[in-house]
Amino acid sequence: MTSPDLAALLEELYRDKQALYDRHVEGARHVSAYEFNNTYQYIVNRETAHLTWIRTALEGAGGQVPQQVTPLALPGGKGRDRERAIIDDDGRQLEAFHQKWAPRVADVSHARHQIMLRVILGETLEYKRFVDQMKEGREDVLGRRMAG
């Protein structure tokens, strides 16, 4: 993979990850269940790190950080129904992100960047697992509370 090809791939990845990040930030504003909101805060925090990693790799490859990102729509509704719709949609969005990027990461010949991208994809699957647990109504997504 040439440096311009790598830069183009990283620019596209950055756009997709930024859109997902923005969507999770907005989703967290509407998911008020305490444990679920904490899970969103965890995901947003990690995605901030992912964006920093991608931005650094992109700049190192001579690419430009995209300034405009197409937002992902947030499901409508009210109350718990909206929370459920947001969580369900996030599961689909995370799965789609992984499906799109997993095959493309194998083409990255730069070892450090490939490892970074594998970490991002692995954590994306972890977030999908979190969302699946939230859909089940589990409140121990990030761990169990201590007694008392």
Side-chain angles (χ1 to χ4, degrees):
M1 176 173 278
T2 67
S3 197
D5 291 338
L6 177 62
L9 181 134
L10 292 170
E11 285 177 25
E12 183 181 350
L13 175 68
Y14 187 91
R15 271 189 218 91
D16 287 357
K17 181 51 101 170
Q18 182 70 53
L20 202 54
Y21 168 86
D22 292 344
R23 171 67 169 64
H24 289 146
V25 168
E26 188 61 27
R29 291 186 178 120
H30 300 280
V31 175
S32 60
Y34 181 77
E35 297 296 341
F36 296 167
N37 188 273
N38 281 348
T39 302
Y40 270 93
Q41 299 307 318
Y42 175 85
I43 292 169
V44 165
N45 185 43
R46 289 301 301 156
E47 286 181 329
T48 300
H50 295 170
L51 287 167
T52 300
W53 297 346
I54 299 166
R55 181 182 310 112
T56 301
L58 177 56
E59 290 169 347
Q64 297 291 321
V65 176
Q67 299 302 311
Q68 295 288 344
V69 176
T70 303
L72 298 172
L74 193 68
K78 293 186 179 186
R80 296 284 182 217
D81 289 339
R82 186 171 195 193
E83 283 186 17
R84 177 67 178 200
I86 290 169
I87 292 168
D88 286 344
D89 188 57
D90 278 333
R92 288 187 293 276
Q93 296 286 349
L94 289 162
E95 180 69 28
F97 180 87
H98 188 271
Q99 292 289 328
K100 176 179 180 177
W101 287 102
R104 296 178 73 186
V105 166
D107 294 336
V108 176
S109 56
H110 189 289
R112 185 182 64 192
H113 294 333
Q114 188 181 72
I115 291 169
M116 170 197 66
L117 296 172
R118 285 182 184 169
V119 169
I120 290 170
L121 290 173
E123 290 191 9
T124 299
L125 287 179
E126 180 181 21
Y127 309 151
K128 171 72 166 80
R129 182 178 56 83
F130 290 168
V131 168
D132 290 344
Q133 290 174 336
M134 286 190 284
K135 287 173 19 178
E136 294 171 6
R138 292 184 52 183
E139 293 186 354
D140 62 347
V141 176
L142 296 179
R144 294 192 179 115
R145 291 185 193 184
M146 293 177 54

